[in-house]
Amino acid sequence: MDWFSYLVAGILVYVGVAIFILGIAFRIYQWFKVKRSSVKLGMFPKPKNRWARGFKLFKDTFFYPQVMGVDPVMWVFVLLLHIGGIAAFIGHLRLFNEFTFIANALGDEGMARFAAWSGGTIGIILLVSVTYLIMRRFKSPYKDLSIPEDYLLLVLVLVILLFGNHLRFFGDVHVADYREYIHSLLAFRPAFPEAIVESSTKWVLVSHVLTSNLLFIYFPFSKLIHSVGTFASNLVRSEV
Ligand code: HEM
């Protein structure tokens, strides 16, 4: 591994993951320290019992119907972005361990084809959603309400996706070689296997990891922390 790759795809990954976890823990600690309101803050229509409250919490957190009422087109793209994000996260778990139950059922070639189709589709869905959300911010009234952070975050995610999709569509590295790199990180001895060092997409991988690490570091201090805070705020919104 050359020194730059070692710094970015080695050391910075540990820094990124540590700041991501500790940063989120710190933000949750800060929320717990805030004095509880003596007034019930639940919004109408109030749920009738605990089950209804649980259902409302689930619905508001994962399907945000408030957004659908205001802007249905945006709601569709935001939903696609979130579903795509979760699917991409699940897809990346294959870099740690093979999904043996699927691989056994499909065989090696079938699995490679399945990964290419599912990964490619998810990558495109994410790219289209983020592009829409960026374009939307260039139009009034959203433009007038946007601050630089809104653009910065979307552009950062867009760049990560462009590199990720490049790896998926033009990469010449087998998943087993990516896995060897991830396992070297887990063993605290970061190294690229020969196949990555010699591949034409090594620098795309390093750039994908670099931009992802920037996102991990920024995440707890940006508005993306809403993905954690939304549970608490929806719990308050559904107070009876
Ligand atoms: C350090 C963290 C990350 C590493 C090591 C990593 C690694 C990779 C690798 C090796 C691929 C190519 C997979 C293949 O062709 O077999 C890939 C693809 C991709 N990555 Fe990442 N990635 C990281 C973070 C992220 C993040 C944070 C996002 C989203 C915001 C993301 C989105 C994607 C997408 C959309 C693809 C293409 C679709 C797919 O193959 O799943 N990655 N990534």
Side-chain angles (χ1 to χ4, degrees), residues 6-192:
Y6 186 78
L7 202 69
V8 169
I11 308 296
L12 195 63
V13 178
Y14 300 121
V15 175
V17 172
I19 295 183
F20 180 77
I21 294 172
L22 294 175
I24 292 177
F26 176 66
R27 294 300 303 267
I28 294 176
Y29 167 74
Q30 278 184 321
W31 295 333
F32 266 107
K33 273 198 341 193
V34 176
K35 213 168 150 261
R36 286 196 73 162
S37 163
S38 51
V39 183
K40 295 251 190 258
L41 296 170
M43 293 173 83
F44 286 96
K46 291 196 173 193
K48 293 198 175 57
N49 53 43
R50 285 182 62 194
W51 284 104
R53 187 182 182 194
F55 178 72
K56 186 169 159 52
L57 179 69
F58 177 83
K59 191 181 72 177
D60 287 354
T61 302
F62 293 102
F63 297 100
Y64 26 89
Q66 321 84 279
V67 178
M68 186 165 32
V70 177
D71 187 341
V73 178
M74 179 202 170
W75 179 81
V76 170
F77 282 106
V78 173
L79 193 66
L80 285 176
L81 180 75
H82 287 102
I83 295 173
I86 294 169
F89 172 76
I90 295 171
H92 279 67
L93 294 180
R94 188 168 177 240
L95 300 176
F96 289 82
N97 254 318
E98 180 59 290
F99 300 141
T100 33
F101 56 104
I102 307 181
N104 287 344
L106 300 178
D108 278 353
E109 251 186 50
M111 184 66 195
R113 228 174 300 131
F114 172 67
W117 274 102
S118 54
T121 309
I122 291 163
I124 296 296
I125 288 179
L126 284 170
L127 195 65
V128 172
S129 315
V130 173
T131 306
Y132 169 81
L133 292 170
I134 293 179
M135 301 306 284
R136 178 181 157 271
R137 286 206 177 262
F138 283 101
K139 208 177 120 218
S140 279
Y142 312 107
K143 189 172 130 195
D144 316 313
L145 301 170
S146 301
I147 57 168
E149 185 195 349
D150 299 324
Y151 298 97
L152 185 73
L153 271 174
L154 285 167
V155 170
L156 182 59
V157 174
L158 178 74
V159 175
I160 297 174
L161 295 176
L162 287 173
F163 288 133
N165 281 337
H166 187 106
L167 289 175
R168 166 58 64 200
F169 292 112
F170 307 108
D172 52 359
V173 177
H174 194 269
V175 64
D177 297 308
Y178 285 134
R179 207 172 285 143
E180 207 176 315
Y181 155 57
I182 298 291
H183 286 181
S184 79
L185 279 173
L186 294 176
F188 294 104
R189 262 188 241 118
F192 280 157

Side-chain angles (χ1 to χ4, degrees), residues 202-238:
K202 181 185 101 172
W203 292 112
V204 181
L205 174 67
V206 173
S207 309
H208 185 60
V209 175
L210 171 65
T211 42
S212 301
N213 278 321
L214 295 180
L215 186 71
F216 294 157
I217 292 169
Y218 189 25
F219 187 101
F221 314 102
S222 72
K223 64 178 191 175
L224 292 181
I225 193 71
H226 78 264
S227 52
V228 182
T230 187
F231 291 98
S233 55
N234 281 330
L235 198 64
V236 172
R237 273 162 51 94
S238 62

